[in-house]
Amino acid sequence: MANPYDVERDWPDYFLEHRRLTVERQGTYRCGDLPVWTIYCPAGYLGNSTVIEGDDGLIVYDTGVNVEAGEIIAREIREISDKPIRAIFYSHHHTDHYNGTWALVDPADVASGAVDVYAWENFEAERSNEFGEIAERQAMGVAYYGGALLGPEERHHHGIGLLPAGGEAGFIPPTRPLSKDETLTIAGVELRIFFTGGEAISEFGVHLPAYDMVVIADEFFTGLPNMHTIRGSKPRLPDNYLKALDRVLEIRPEWLLGSHIMPLHGKERIAEAVTKYRDAAQYLWDQSIRLINKGYTPVELQHALKDLPPEVVDPPYTVPTYGVPFTTVPEFFTGWVSWFSGDATDLFPSPNEVRSSRLVELMGGAEAVLDAAKEDHRNGEHQLAAELAQIALRADPGNEDARLVKAAALRAIGYRQVNPIARSWYLTGALELEKAFDPGEALQQVARMTVAPQTGAQTVRSWRYRLDADKASGRELTVGMRFTDGGEEVTLKLRHRVLVVEDGPGEGPDALVEAGPDVLASARVVEGDPKAWEDLIGLLDLEVEGFAMHMR
């Protein structure tokens, strides 16, 4: 059934122009006559690969978002050179930078040391943490912000490439951790490694002095930096972006390559683009702090800093097609100040349904509220329409008319967005309200793509967040565990409605369990009382459930 309040599909002119300037230029680009190539957006996928040819082998910086992208990169590499790959660099722990590795090198060659895989020393910890404790919430966020649930007629670029809705992960763990700025020589090529830690705290760049070249990853894009991702993440540090870009300006290279840009050539052009880019980032951070210190709240920051000053606008680099001010600046408040606005009324607010029911009553009933929402929608005041429909829907979650009005308003707002991430979220929200997909199925689909496989010990350590505290009331027990996929041992102690996970074997457990990576399927009690293990599992909330973002 079509939404009776729906709107005509549309794209802003620059939205389409930016796609032409970025994703549609996919291919392999050589840097002049230098033995360095950028494989740009292979098959439109998110994430470039940089290939450097040395005397007796190749160096690859990033391997693509999945095995399919890696296979494309591998074919392009064979067109470039028949020399073997000697080293791979993972620029950081985000999945679009390392999941194509299987297609490029044999894991046995990595295990033997014939191929070295470099990453910053915190890579594995950050990779585990990125989709760790709040994996399900972040996976749902990925579904909304990347357009994975949109139909083919709504699919669009991500601002810096296309996001796949699946694909096999071809990750091979790093073998050579980096811990400080240093100089390496690989296949006769001098590489000066420098830490950046901008978008990801595991991030580093490479200076190739022989080629007057710098390669960086997620601190310079064809789009404003995304200093906060609405899919959900820990706060990103603006000063780290600035330090990374200042390092590029200090080196002043002839060539600038990156994991999401076309090769940029010319000292003056690079200096101009990088200067404006880092100044745009500093503008948003510094002015947010200035206004926060004047008492501005997150919403007030959004409206005060909704546009960049013209001095730093430099298409395609500083246009809001990746980050956008209205999603960035409120995080500077919540990430560095608090979730609390400062008004004591907001300290412990009424539940949404209670507040909304009272507002609907005062406004003359749900029909009056929705009549006003429909009028605003007709008049192009789509944000107000969505807000009014939201009040009616929270007061009565079964109100179909409220769902459809809100969906239409969000879709109308989405079609106006130059920022692809915001567009995806608005349009996916509209589909959710129209019940066009099942949130549980969506979560399962995206989790397979985004959540890294875990060892048995990692899985069990996460169970502390799965304990149903109400069921655990008054219970105490201890379970020791041994894992066959790494030899680790942990002890689980249930007390006071918390599950404490300790390393090593505990003394006198109620049960001792041996398990592999698929813990529940492989677990067997080797000592003690099997019922203690059964009781523990019965207290865990292990069901992965989808949830609504907009119908609440």
Side-chain angles (χ1 to χ4, degrees), residues 194 206-208 212-216 248 251 253 255-258:
F194 58 95
V206 178
H207 175 206
L208 303 168
D212 199 4
M213 177 182 292
V214 169
V215 186
I216 58 174
V248 175
I251 295 170
W255 287 92
L256 179 64
L257 277 62

Side-chain angles (χ1 to χ4, degrees), residues 471-494:
K471 289 183 179 179
S473 175
R475 301 296 304 275
E476 290 189 8
L477 57 84
T478 300
V479 173
M481 298 201 69
R482 291 198 303 246
F483 297 98
T484 59
D485 59 333
E488 290 185 82
E489 295 182 318
V490 302
T491 301
L492 307 177
K493 295 182 178 179
L494 176 66

Side-chain angles (χ1 to χ4, degrees), residues 116-258:
D116 291 321
V117 180
Y118 291 85
W120 208 257
E121 62 179 353
N122 61 354
F123 176 93
E124 287 285 24
E126 291 298 319
R127 176 173 173 265
S128 176
N129 181 260
E130 182 79 19
F131 284 89
E133 291 90 341
I134 55 171
E136 284 84 7
R137 175 58 181 80
Q138 287 182 298
M140 285 296 282
V142 168
Y144 280 73
Y145 100 135
L149 304 175
L150 299 178
E153 72 284 355
E154 295 283 19
R155 291 286 171 87
H156 55 261
H157 68 95
H158 187 58
I160 53 173
L162 295 178
L163 271 183
E168 183 182 6
F171 172 66
I172 298 176
T175 58
R176 292 293 190 97
L178 300 163
S179 60
K180 64 181 186 305
D181 291 8
E182 60 179 296
T183 299
L184 304 173
T185 300
I186 301 172
V189 179
E190 180 183 342
L191 304 103
R192 297 179 182 175
I193 310 299
F194 58 95
F195 178 73
T196 57
E199 180 168 297
I201 200 66
S202 60
E203 201 151 358
F204 66 94
V206 178
H207 175 206
L208 303 168
Y211 307 137
D212 199 4
M213 177 182 292
V214 169
V215 186
I216 58 174
D218 284 12
E219 288 99 357
F220 188 76
F221 296 91
T222 50
L224 195 66
N226 199 19
M227 292 185 284
H228 171 65
T229 173
I230 58 174
R231 69 167 166 80
S233 75
K234 296 180 293 185
R236 295 172 173 177
L237 304 177
D239 275 351
N240 281 11
Y241 288 85
L242 305 185
K243 290 174 185 175
L245 297 167
D246 283 340
R247 186 66 179 270
V248 175
L249 293 173
E250 175 188 321
I251 295 170
R252 196 173 173 79
E254 182 69 23
W255 287 92
L256 179 64
L257 277 62

Side-chain angles (χ1 to χ4, degrees), residues 47-128:
N48 302 342
S49 185
T50 298
V51 181
I52 305 159
E53 184 178 26
D55 295 336
D56 61 349
L58 305 175
I59 303 158
V60 178
Y61 182 90
D62 286 347
T63 64
V65 70
N66 55 23
V67 171
E68 183 182 351
E71 289 170 345
I72 296 166
I73 293 167
R75 289 198 295 270
E76 292 298 304
I77 288 175
R78 294 283 69 90
E79 293 293 322
I80 291 169
S81 172
D82 60 3
K83 295 177 182 178
I85 294 173
R86 298 294 188 197
I88 287 174
F89 289 86
Y90 293 154
S91 64
H92 62 289
H93 69 274
H94 292 165
T95 56
D96 50 313
H97 299 265
Y98 59 73
N99 264 337
T101 307
W102 281 358
L104 273 65
V105 296
D106 189 330
D109 288 338
V110 175
S112 72
V115 179
D116 291 321
V117 180
Y118 291 85
W120 208 257
E121 62 179 353
N122 61 354
F123 176 93
E124 287 285 24
E126 291 298 319
R127 176 173 173 265
S128 176

Side-chain angles (χ1 to χ4, degrees), residues 444-501:
Q444 295 286 351
Q445 172 188 334
V446 180
R448 285 193 295 269
M449 179 180 73
T450 57
V451 180
Q454 292 186 313
T455 65
Q458 287 173 326
T459 297
V460 167
R461 287 191 180 98
S462 73
W463 282 357
R464 57 182 287 194
Y465 309 109
R466 302 284 188 181
L467 181 69
D468 187 323
D470 291 336
K471 289 183 179 179
S473 175
R475 301 296 304 275
E476 290 189 8
L477 57 84
T478 300
V479 173
M481 298 201 69
R482 291 198 303 246
F483 297 98
T484 59
D485 59 333
E488 290 185 82
E489 295 182 318
V490 302
T491 301
L492 307 177
K493 295 182 178 179
L494 176 66
R495 64 179 187 239
H496 304 145
R497 301 199 199 193
V498 298
L499 186 63
V500 179
V501 185

Side-chain angles (χ1 to χ4, degrees), residues 352-506:
N352 282 331
E353 63 273 19
V354 173
R355 179 175 180 273
S356 295
S357 294
R358 179 63 173 144
L359 288 173
V360 166
E361 179 186 351
L362 292 172
M363 296 163 76
E367 187 173 342
V369 175
L370 289 176
D371 284 345
K374 294 170 192 176
E375 183 177 0
D376 283 338
H377 182 57
R378 285 193 298 269
N379 293 335
E381 296 289 349
H382 305 299
Q383 180 63 34
L384 285 174
E387 290 170 356
L388 289 171
Q390 181 182 67
I391 292 171
L393 186 59
R394 285 177 171 175
D396 177 12
N399 190 319
E400 183 178 1
D401 209 22
R403 280 194 301 102
L404 297 177
V405 172
K406 183 179 176 182
L410 293 183
R411 185 170 283 117
I413 298 169
Y415 286 153
R416 294 179 173 183
Q417 300 301 310
V418 169
N419 184 270
I421 296 172
R423 181 184 178 101
S424 286
W425 208 290
Y426 282 115
L427 299 185
T428 306
L431 290 179
E432 177 203 311
L433 288 158
E434 293 165 350
K435 300 184 178 181
F437 63 85
D438 176 77
E441 293 177 3
L443 176 57
Q444 295 286 351
Q445 172 188 334
V446 180
R448 285 193 295 269
M449 179 180 73
T450 57
V451 180
Q454 292 186 313
T455 65
Q458 287 173 326
T459 297
V460 167
R461 287 191 180 98
S462 73
W463 282 357
R464 57 182 287 194
Y465 309 109
R466 302 284 188 181
L467 181 69
D468 187 323
D470 291 336
K471 289 183 179 179
S473 175
R475 301 296 304 275
E476 290 189 8
L477 57 84
T478 300
V479 173
M481 298 201 69
R482 291 198 303 246
F483 297 98
T484 59
D485 59 333
E488 290 185 82
E489 295 182 318
V490 302
T491 301
L492 307 177
K493 295 182 178 179
L494 176 66
R495 64 179 187 239
H496 304 145
R497 301 199 199 193
V498 298
L499 186 63
V500 179
V501 185
E502 298 177 349
D503 291 334

